[in-house]
Amino acid sequence: MSIIVVGSINADLAVQVHRHPKPGETLMGSGGTITPGGKGANQAVAAALQGASVRFVGAVGNDAYATPALRCLTKSGVDLTGISHVEDTTGLAVIAISADGENTIIVIPGANAWVDAEAVKQHTTDIAAADIVLLQGEIPAEGFQAAVDAATHRVVINLAPVVPVDRDALLQADPLMANEHEAALVLQQLGHEVAEEDSKNPEKLAADLLDAGFASVVLTLGAAGALVATPEGSELVPSPKVTAVDTTGAGDAFAGALVARLDAGDSLLDAAHHAVRVAAYAVTGRGAQDSYPTRDDQLPQV
């Protein structure tokens, strides 16, 4: 076991609309299909498809959504023995995708709320044995902290959504992965004021996060690529130019590919160069996990 993901599993209900509705407005749409999702599951699948050995700790409900939610985790070869079936609904994400590929997402935690400290501590031995522990923000804060406490090697955190978690646990991230909006929220959570002009300046955000105590930072910048920052300096990693069909799960594709390459021995910068290509591939297909490439797929070039 090289990577263990402690995180969320969702069924994604996706609809397509010409544009996103305004408050109080009703629009006609299409789609309505159920596909596998959840930030934890997305990242685990992306890592496994890039050749990593991945184990998952999480929970699904005893309902009809559990089977489609687990489909790609199973198909990609992720070890699912750490997944519990609980008396609740499986996590559900309602996703609206506009014609330009942008999305809005509403997440209902369901069984993910059961991934608390008690549940995570049942897997302490496996977490301690993992070379990389990968975490997001879709499980309870106490479960998040228990996973960090159990880790003995590298911890990688993508605190999305940005929820209140233990400060010391969060600062164990190496790297912290975030988009610009999330980076500003993390800084605010750590007690730093973020000026409006700084919230749109990736270099300043990354520098402030390093000053706050993170060992390394990777900011995802959408079509612009990613910014990798360490105490030695920062570098922009450009993304290939592609026509986006659906951006759902693109950041998770990046995160999973990044940890897969880190686990394979790549430097953080080299891992990011690979991850932007995986994310670019992902936005050319619909859905999250179903759009992720395998090692045999041809990735777009920068």
Side-chain angles (χ1 to χ4, degrees), residues 9-13 34 65 89-94 106-110 112:
I9 304 169
N10 290 337
D12 286 353
L13 171 61
I34 299 293
Y65 286 142
T89 59
T90 299
L92 179 66
V94 181
I106 299 172
V107 175
I108 302 164
N112 297 313

Side-chain angles (χ1 to χ4, degrees), residues 216-289:
S216 61
V217 174
V218 177
L219 297 186
T220 54
L221 307 175
L227 181 72
V228 175
T230 68
E232 288 71 43
S234 64
E235 184 169 334
L236 179 66
V237 178
S239 173
K241 303 304 179 185
V242 297
T243 300
V245 173
D246 180 1
T247 60
T248 304
D252 295 331
F254 178 96
L258 184 91
V259 295
R261 293 314 308 163
L262 289 176
D263 190 61
D266 282 6
S267 69
L268 183 57
L269 185 60
D270 286 344
H273 275 282
H274 179 74
V276 294
R277 297 175 65 204
V278 169
Y281 182 103
V283 303
T284 63
R286 293 205 177 275
Q289 296 169 29

